Amino acid sequence: MAAKEENSALFPIFVLTMIALPLVPYTVFNLYYTFTKKAKDITCHCSVCFRSGKYRKSLFKRISNFSTYSNLTIVLLWVLMAILIFYINQFNTEIQIFEPFSILGLESGASDAEIKKAYRRLSILYHPDKNPDPEAHKYFVDFISKAYQALTDPISRENFEKYGHPDGRQGLRMGIALPQFLLNIDGASGGILLLGIVGVCIIFPLTVTVIYLSRSSKYTGNYVMHHTMYAYFHLMKPSLAPSKVIDAFIHAAEYMEIPVRRTDDEYLQKLFLLVRSELNLDLRNIRQEQAKFWKQHPALVKSELLMQAHLTRETAALSLSLHHDLKKMISLAPRLLEELMKMAIIPRTQQGHGWLRPAIGVVELSQSIIQAVPLSARKSIGASSEGYGPFLQLPHFSEGVVKKIARKKVRTFQDFRDMKQQERAELLAQTADFSAEESHDVEMVLDMMPAISIELTFETEGEEGIQEGDIVTMQAWITLRRGNGLIGALPHAPHFPYEKEESFWLLLADSMNDVWMSQKVNFMDEATAIIAASKAIQELKEGSGASTREINTAVKEAIDRVKSGSRLVMGKFQAPSEGNYNLTSYCLCDSWIGCDAKSNIRLKILKRSRAGTRGIATADEVPSLEDGADEEEEEGDDEYDDDYESEYSEDDEDTKGKDSKVATENGSAHLQGDDSSSDESKSD
């Protein structure tokens, strides 16, 4: 019986030990990392962002940021440890150690007469004939009688004084640190044990599996519904104009599930009058167009009106319920736009290429949603091919301010960025009556805006240039610079109620507006970028037969470039058939307007003249680059009209930047471009 009680007492100690072994070092490591890491402030500090309250560290937000699953699990485990420690401490104090002399109230080494005298005295107090209390009876039998017997028997007393136990020297005793009800499988305890085994081993895993399968059948890995992906795939067209991308975007099943209430009708009618100019209605048949618009599915009508209210910043006319619905739509927008982008660049043509025009439209829609800029503000106006949309992402700017500074021959956003800080402050003060604080806000946002440059390298084996069917290795270094020196940062977006990390899309397209290659790039996770770049460079150098020293040097250089603000994109592809190709590389930012990089280059593929195996081009293949200055361009009619280019994107003639630099040597070609469109390569 004592052994069983001891085993039960050891069970909480066993549980405490198993919890403390991983929990204590994990907690110490996290605390050390938290207090020693250098926290970088990557948010915007302008007065507009401060008033929005998005980055304000209130008590509720601090608790929300702390309330992650891992942190809550750690706290619960520490609470459980505290309860176990308290229970063990109380349990140990309640266990009375069998000490015969102490029980009889004697000192060690007392005589037989003193033992008998003490026994008689305690018998008067606890004997059942003298004291009817059941507790007294139990104490007399379990302690007093046993203590008297242990001390009156000479052998038992000698064993106790010598070995601490009446039975003499005790051997090693093994036990199981489990509670008593688990060891006793008779009666109700056996049923409880069986029920626990069935619940933990069968019912719980089965329940988790059913929930997971039911959810996975409805959502993709990016938590986007399969119905949304199906709709986006069929609504995406190669000639889809950027202004029409929003019509496909709002067909998301997540938006269709937002309830349409009768109380919303009045507010939606008022909202329609405010955003009617943004709805792509034919003004020549405005009545028929309005009737057609309202005949759509009510969820589509509501989704488009709410999204246009966000883009035009007309949210003051919304009710509380509509505000809640709009917030939900905006929270879903980033991952829906990412899936819509994938539907645009997914291989569609026979060559396995995607579509450039809708891809640019998706990125521009993402920029407009993050910055809350209407799509109509992106249209070309006068000498500005980019419209006044880029200016609206700056604090305190409006269409009226843009018109005022345009009179001072500041036609484009790039012209405004290229001005000196003092010149900008004087311009804003003179034309728009900006105060010093407002001008300071503008400078802070301009310092947050990224400047992107691209360095492309395409290499292949052989000394006769890049020939059709060659396997080419592409290496693209994308470098980001900011005026404030940060690499990864959250964009200035006071009208977007959630924190949004910047992402960039690297696209390589031909003159037929087909996307040959695409890759998403992120500058926030430096550790992952270092691992990816190191592995890619190491594999590339090992494949070329470089020595260990050369490999280590190349890997170190790649790591230094990543730490300085560059990201590496690599891939292998097969050169297409013989001919000249006009390619354009794009690096599009999904959060900022006017921060995209674009470079043009003329490429040539030679006819196959050396031994090799040609294969069928895959979706990820990109043609090789080579200086085709001495050859004529391949002639042919474009598949689409001249207005196929994004009506919100920059035209080649209206952009400024460095010329693309192409150098071909031993079958390799290099391209460098900055954050604006560059001229085509010219013959030497």
Side-chain angles (χ1 to χ4, degrees):
M1 182 69 180
K4 293 182 179 180
E5 291 179 356
E6 184 178 357
N7 290 337
S8 298
L10 292 176
F11 177 69
I13 299 177
F14 171 75
V15 175
L16 177 65
T17 305
M18 297 305 295
I19 295 176
L21 282 176
L23 182 62
V24 172
Y26 181 79
T27 304
V28 171
F29 173 79
N30 280 329
L31 291 176
Y32 175 78
Y33 178 77
T34 301
F35 288 104
T36 56
K37 71 175 183 179
K38 296 180 180 179
K40 291 185 178 180
D41 194 352
I42 59 175
T43 61
C44 180
H45 293 281
C46 72
S47 60
V48 179
C49 287
F50 178 79
R51 287 195 298 268
S52 68
K54 184 166 62 172
Y55 304 122
R56 198 172 300 163
K57 299 298 182 180
S58 62
L59 178 61
F60 177 77
K61 284 194 174 183
R62 291 178 185 272
I63 295 175
S64 300
N65 293 335
F66 177 79
S67 301
T68 60
Y69 288 112
S70 60
N71 290 339
L72 290 178
T73 302
I74 292 174
V75 171
L76 290 177
L77 289 175
W78 275 106
V79 171
L80 179 60
M81 282 185 58
I83 294 174
L84 288 173
I85 293 173
F86 178 78
Y87 174 78
I88 293 170
N89 184 47
Q90 292 296 113
F91 189 82
N92 290 336
T93 56
E94 291 175 0
I95 296 178
Q96 299 182 13
I97 301 175
F98 185 76
E99 293 285 350
F101 290 106
S102 299
I103 294 173
L104 296 177
L106 300 173
E107 295 182 356
S108 179
S111 63
D112 293 340
E114 293 175 340
I115 294 173
K116 292 179 180 180
K117 182 178 179 180
Y119 175 73
R120 287 194 297 268
R121 177 172 52 83
L122 293 176
S123 297
I124 296 174
L125 297 175
Y126 294 101
H127 195 276
D129 296 338
K130 302 295 182 178
N131 192 341
D133 188 1
E135 293 294 333
H137 178 220
K138 182 178 179 180
Y139 182 76
F140 180 81
V141 174
D142 293 342
F143 292 93
I144 297 176
S145 297
K146 288 183 179 181
Y148 178 73
Q149 183 180 0
L151 295 179
T152 54
D153 183 64
I155 299 177
S156 298
R157 180 173 181 177
E158 182 181 358
N159 289 335
F160 176 78
E161 292 178 348
K162 186 180 293 185
Y163 303 109
H165 198 280
D167 296 333
R169 185 189 299 272
Q170 300 295 302
L172 180 64
R173 184 170 57 188
M174 303 294 294
I176 302 176
L178 292 176
Q180 183 63 31
F181 74 90
L182 290 179
L183 300 176
N184 183 16
I185 60 175
D186 298 331
S189 299
I192 294 175
L193 179 60
L194 179 62
L195 182 61
I197 294 175
V198 172
V200 173
C201 299
I202 299 176
I203 298 178
F204 179 73
L206 184 61
T207 304
V208 173
T209 302
V210 171
I211 295 175
Y212 173 77
L213 292 178
S214 62
R215 182 174 180 83
S216 62
S217 63
K218 188 177 180 181
Y219 290 90
T220 64
N222 199 23
Y223 298 102
V224 175
M225 299 178 69
H226 287 289
H227 292 296
T228 299
M229 302 297 294
Y230 179 83
Y232 283 174
F233 181 83
H234 288 279
L235 290 173
M236 189 62 61
K237 304 297 180 184
S239 59
L240 188 65
S243 59
K244 301 291 185 181
V245 171
I246 190 173
D247 296 334
F249 170 68
I250 62 173
H251 277 78
E254 288 84 349
Y255 291 167
M256 300 295 289
E257 290 184 348
I258 296 178
V260 181
R261 314 171 192 85
R262 292 185 178 180
T263 55
D264 297 339
D265 293 341
E266 180 182 355
Y267 295 98
L268 293 178
Q269 289 284 351
K270 295 179 180 178
L271 186 59
F272 174 80
L273 299 177
L274 295 174
V275 301
R276 181 169 54 184
S277 60
E278 300 288 333
L279 297 177
N280 296 319
L281 302 180
D282 188 359
L283 299 179
R284 294 170 295 182
N285 301 309
I286 188 63
R287 292 187 178 180
Q288 292 83 349
E289 290 289 314
Q290 290 182 8
K292 182 180 178 181
F293 175 82
W294 288 105
K295 287 181 180 179
Q296 297 181 100
H297 193 283
L300 289 177
V301 173
K302 179 178 179 178
S303 298
E304 184 165 6
L305 290 177
L306 289 180
M307 191 55 66
Q308 292 293 353
H310 170 69
L311 295 176
T312 56
R313 307 178 185 179
E314 295 287 354
T315 56
L318 302 180
S319 62
L320 291 178
S321 58
L322 288 178
H323 267 291
H324 177 75
D325 294 340
L326 177 58
K327 235 182 153 180
K328 182 178 180 180
M329 289 181 62
I330 294 176
S331 66
L332 296 172
R335 62 172 177 260
L336 292 179
L337 287 167
E338 182 177 351
E339 297 303 319
L340 187 61
M341 182 68 173
K342 293 178 181 178
M343 291 299 103
I345 59 180
I346 193 174
R348 302 273 192 153
T349 64
Q350 294 181 352
Q351 295 78 16
H353 299 158
W355 296 329
L356 176 64
R357 192 182 194 194
I360 291 179
V362 172
V363 176
E364 291 178 350
L365 177 60
S366 175
Q367 296 170 355
S368 296
I369 291 177
I370 300 301
Q371 297 295 338
V373 173
L375 295 176
S376 60
R378 311 283 297 268
K379 294 181 179 179
S380 301
I381 299 177
S384 175
S385 61
E386 58 191 10
Y388 61 90
F391 289 95
L392 297 183
Q393 61 190 340
L394 299 178
H396 315 297
F397 264 71
S398 63
E399 184 179 358
V401 175
V402 178
K403 291 180 179 179
K404 291 179 180 179
I405 64 175
R407 300 191 187 104
K408 299 296 183 179
K409 297 183 179 181
V410 180
R411 304 297 184 183
T412 65
F413 185 67
Q414 190 60 43
D415 293 340
F416 185 73
R417 292 185 67 182
D418 292 339
M419 296 176 64
K420 296 181 180 180
Q421 179 177 351
Q422 185 63 30
E423 294 176 352
R424 277 195 299 265
E426 294 177 358
L427 174 66
L428 294 175
Q430 294 174 1
T431 59
D433 296 329
F434 270 40
S435 63
E437 291 77 11
E438 292 173 337
S439 297
H440 179 66
D441 288 341
V442 173
E443 295 300 329
M444 292 179 66
V445 174
L446 290 175
D447 287 340
M448 289 284 292
M449 299 183 71
I452 298 295
S453 61
I454 310 173
E455 180 183 339
L456 295 176
T457 303
F458 293 81
E459 299 179 351
T460 187
E461 298 179 357
E463 299 180 356
E464 303 176 14
I466 300 176
Q467 299 182 3
E468 56 183 359
D470 283 349
I471 301 300
V472 185
T473 300
M474 185 202 70
Q475 178 176 313
W477 281 101
I478 303 175
T479 304
L480 182 146
R481 295 287 182 267
R482 303 180 198 271
N484 56 13
L486 293 176
I487 298 176
L490 301 179
H492 162 82
H495 300 280
F496 193 82
Y498 304 99
E499 294 186 2
K500 169 68 173 65
E501 294 183 359
E502 297 173 344
S503 294
F504 298 82
W505 285 93
L506 178 64
L507 306 177
L508 191 65
D510 59 13
S511 59
M512 300 299 293
N513 293 286
D514 289 339
V515 177
W516 292 29
M517 189 215 71
S518 61
Q519 179 66 48
K520 187 178 181 181
V521 184
N522 189 281
F523 285 84
M524 297 295 292
D525 193 351
E526 183 181 280
T528 303
I530 289 176
I531 295 174
S534 302
K535 183 178 179 180
I537 293 296
Q538 183 176 357
E539 292 177 353
L540 178 64
K541 293 298 181 180
E542 289 177 351
S544 63
S547 63
T548 304
R549 183 176 181 180
E550 292 174 342
I551 294 174
N552 294 335
T553 302
V555 170
K556 185 178 182 302
E557 292 176 355
I559 294 175
D560 293 339
R561 294 194 66 172
V562 171
K563 291 182 178 180
S564 63
S566 298
R567 295 294 181 266
L568 176 63
V569 178
M570 294 192 67
K572 291 183 181 292
F573 47 86
Q574 189 178 35
S577 58
E578 176 190 7
N580 297 314
Y581 297 88
N582 293 323
L583 296 186
T584 304
S585 64
Y586 299 85
C587 188
L588 307 177
C589 179
D590 69 345
S591 303
W592 293 95
I593 303 175
C595 297
D596 304 329
K598 178 181 176 183
S599 299
N600 299 331
I601 188 167
R602 185 178 303 169
L603 317 172
K604 180 187 176 183
I605 304 299
L606 300 177
K607 186 177 181 180
R608 192 73 182 175
S609 63
R610 56 178 177 263
T613 302
R614 292 196 59 189
I616 299 176
T618 60
D620 295 332
E621 293 169 355
V622 184
S624 58
L625 302 182
E626 183 173 342
D627 189 358
D630 298 330
E631 299 290 338
E632 295 180 356
E633 294 184 21
E634 182 181 25
E635 297 181 356
D637 295 335
D638 289 345
E639 185 178 352
Y640 305 104
D641 297 333
D642 294 336
D643 61 350
Y644 182 81
E645 283 295 331
S646 169
E647 61 186 290
Y648 309 122
S649 301
E650 297 178 351
D651 295 332
D652 294 344
E653 297 81 5
D654 297 326
T655 55
K656 299 179 180 180
K658 299 179 181 179
D659 293 344
S660 299
K661 298 181 180 179
V662 182
T664 304
E665 184 178 358
N666 295 332
S668 65
H670 309 271
L671 167 64
Q672 293 181 344
D674 60 359
D675 59 343
S676 60
S677 175
S678 58
D679 298 332
E680 295 183 352
S681 304
K682 298 182 180 180
S683 59
D684 296 330

